[in-house]
Amino acid sequence: MVKEQQALLEDARQAIVNYDLSKTEEAARKALEGGVKPYTVITEGFVPGITEVGDLFDRGQLFLPELIMTAEAMKAGTAICMAKVPESEVKSTKKVVMGTVEGDQHDIGKSIVMSFLLANGFKIYDLGVNVSSEKFVEKAIEVKADVVGMSALLTTTMVEQKSVIEELKKAGLRDKVKTIVGGAPTSQTWADRIGADAYGENAVDAVKKIKQLTCLS
Ligand code: B12
């Protein structure tokens, strides 16, 4: 990557660290104009910034209002980048129901994953945040989902992913619907432990794993 592009990514990181919404939007636009790929702006600009903010919050050096402002800036910047990712012209018939589990309000990562799935032609049903296991199952039945994706960002809520899988079993759907989990506290080990079919580390990995689950790769 050329030096100018690295400077643009540094501006993006800095704007997030300063939870400055308009600077974040400006940094996103400038980076895209400067030839940086949308996903790179997010992963190498915004994500290092939000990780730094998360660490400061963890150490008690920053508080919830700032965290909320950071999230708003992150959402605005990400939206500008994602608008540059074209929706796939090749439509798949595969349906993915996505949601953030019950008790959890984090949706930035899930939104990025959904945009990438859309860009790869999947049909997405977004249940939003704080979604109960019952709602996941109801939607999976309603749309005849191929895959159910669950996001969790809190160690206290990741256990809800297990509840969704159990609820799918109870509804007799476990063999018909594939499951994938994601979110910072989750891992392949966690996915194996709760009987999920896959774990996705990030948006690119999520697309790869969902393609494998639905036999598209
Ligand atoms: C932004 C943020 C918030 C925002 C969320 C806004 C929003 N609309 O999402 C707000 C301010 C609301 C918030 C609130 C809280 N937060 Co918060 N938050 C964060 C922060 C800083 C960033 C999360 C984020 O967006 N990351 C960027 C995205 C791109 O990454 P990601 O979510 O991991 O997603 C990627 C992958 O994980 C994966 N992925 C994600 N989902 C899925 C799903 C599938 C199916 C797949 C395959 C892949 C996948 O792909 C994504 C793209 O690459 C993190 C710190 C951190 N560094 O993670 C803390 C953090 C998650 N929050 C934390 C806490 C404690 C809270 C609060 C409890 C604070 C409080 N005292 O009230 C509340 C809880 C509210 C609730 N009930 O959910 C802790 C969690 C600690 C823990 N271990 O449980 C963290 C780690 C901060 C910290 N270091 O203490 N938070």
Side-chain angles (χ1 to χ4, degrees):
M1 185 178 297
V2 290
K3 216 172 162 196
E4 291 75 28
Q5 293 189 333
Q6 253 150 12
L8 291 166
L9 289 174
E10 172 54 22
D11 288 347
R13 186 195 67 81
Q14 199 64 53
I16 291 287
V17 171
N18 293 333
Y19 36 90
D20 188 327
L21 193 142
S22 58
K23 283 251 166 64
T24 303
E25 290 180 329
E26 193 187 317
R29 287 197 191 96
K30 284 195 173 155
L32 294 169
E33 280 162 21
V36 186
K37 293 210 167 70
Y39 192 60
T40 309
V41 181
I42 297 171
T43 55
E44 292 177 33
F46 297 153
V47 170
I50 203 161
T51 305
E52 207 173 315
V53 168
D55 291 345
L56 290 170
F57 176 75
D58 214 13
R59 295 201 297 268
Q61 290 169 356
L62 196 138
F63 301 96
L64 205 51
E66 288 92 344
L67 196 59
I68 293 170
M69 281 155 71
T70 307
E72 292 306 319
M74 178 88 187
K75 277 189 161 183
T78 306
I80 290 173
C81 296
M82 294 318 305
K84 294 283 172 200
V85 179
E87 206 175 303
S88 173
E89 302 211 333
V90 186
K91 295 277 177 261
S92 157
T93 52
K94 303 295 179 187
K95 298 169 198 156
V96 185
V97 167
M98 285 281 290
T100 300
V101 297
E102 188 156 23
D104 202 321
Q105 301 287 344
H106 297 84
D107 69 351
I108 295 171
K110 172 177 73 71
S111 302
I112 298 174
V113 170
M114 288 189 310
S115 304
F116 270 68
L117 287 169
L118 269 177
N120 280 273
F122 287 94
K123 187 144 183 49
I124 309 297
Y125 298 87
D126 179 20
L127 294 173
V129 296
N130 191 22
V131 182
S132 68
S133 333
E134 292 80 10
K135 273 201 196 142
F136 273 105
V137 174
E138 268 169 33
K139 198 69 186 178
I141 294 172
E142 182 195 320
V143 305
K144 296 194 175 64
D146 297 286
V147 180
V148 167
M150 298 156 259
S151 183
L153 263 287
L154 299 170
T155 43
T156 49
T157 59
M158 59 195 281
V159 68
E160 290 297 327
Q161 295 178 330
K162 188 170 176 232
S163 308
V164 176
I165 294 172
E166 277 164 7
E167 207 61 40
L168 284 168
K169 271 188 202 152
K170 271 196 227 156
L173 285 179
R174 192 59 195 96
D175 298 334
K176 299 190 183 84
V177 180
K178 300 286 182 193
T179 53
I180 181 164
V181 294
T186 67
S187 61
Q188 185 60 56
T189 312
W190 171 249
D192 293 342
R193 195 185 311 163
I194 64 172
D197 296 305
Y199 157 70
E201 190 184 357
N202 52 43
V204 172
D205 195 33
V207 170
K208 186 177 131 200
K209 299 283 173 59
I210 291 177
K211 279 188 173 168
Q212 285 167 358
L213 290 177
T214 53
C215 304
L216 292 175
S217 72

